[in-house]
Amino acid sequence: MISSVVVSYQVRPEAVAEHVRLIEAVFEQLHAEQPGNVEYKVVRLEDGVSFVHVSSADTPDGSNPLPELAAFREFGRDSAARVATTPVPTPADIIGSYYPAVPVTDAARTDRSGPEG
């Protein structure tokens, strides 16, 4: 059963760098383990503090295996101290999907929170 969810929220400006580091650790674990039943993407919006996660999983019971990853558990451990708005998970249906090569650039990894962040 395929299940999908979209989660959006904002992070405190002073916590953006740590938040991005924790997200990158999730992707490092995903790349290392290469689960075939998970699709996951995280984008940071132009304001530098708004994040959107899109996750799909194909499991017999419709559960998402992401929360079982050690890096994902670490990401969620102190999230209340980093987030400025409550994450809003919204179930979603995938209408279509295309997988172009999307390199993660250094520009995408930089902290956009400004000099104080």
Side-chain angles (χ1 to χ4, degrees), residues 67-91:
E68 303 305 315
L69 295 174
F72 197 86
R73 287 193 307 268
E74 181 65 19
F75 166 74
R77 191 169 53 88
D78 290 327
S79 63
R82 294 187 313 273
V83 297
T85 61
T86 302
V88 178
T90 305

Side-chain angles (χ1 to χ4, degrees), residues 12-58:
R12 299 177 199 290
E14 65 276 10
V16 168
E18 175 65 3
H19 197 71
V20 169
R21 184 191 70 75
L22 291 164
I23 291 170
E24 289 173 342
V26 172
F27 282 102
E28 287 172 15
Q29 185 174 359
L30 285 169
H31 286 291
E33 296 180 10
Q34 297 188 357
N37 62 342
V38 175
E39 181 180 345
Y40 187 50
K41 184 177 285 190
V42 179
V43 296
R44 178 171 48 178
L45 302 183
E46 187 175 18
D47 65 8
V49 297
S50 296
F51 290 79
V52 178
H53 298 237
V54 180
S55 174
S56 295
D58 187 2

Side-chain angles (χ1 to χ4, degrees), residues 44 104-112:
R44 178 171 48 178
V104 177
T105 65
D106 287 339
R109 293 176 181 250
T110 59
D111 178 5
R112 297 184 194 174

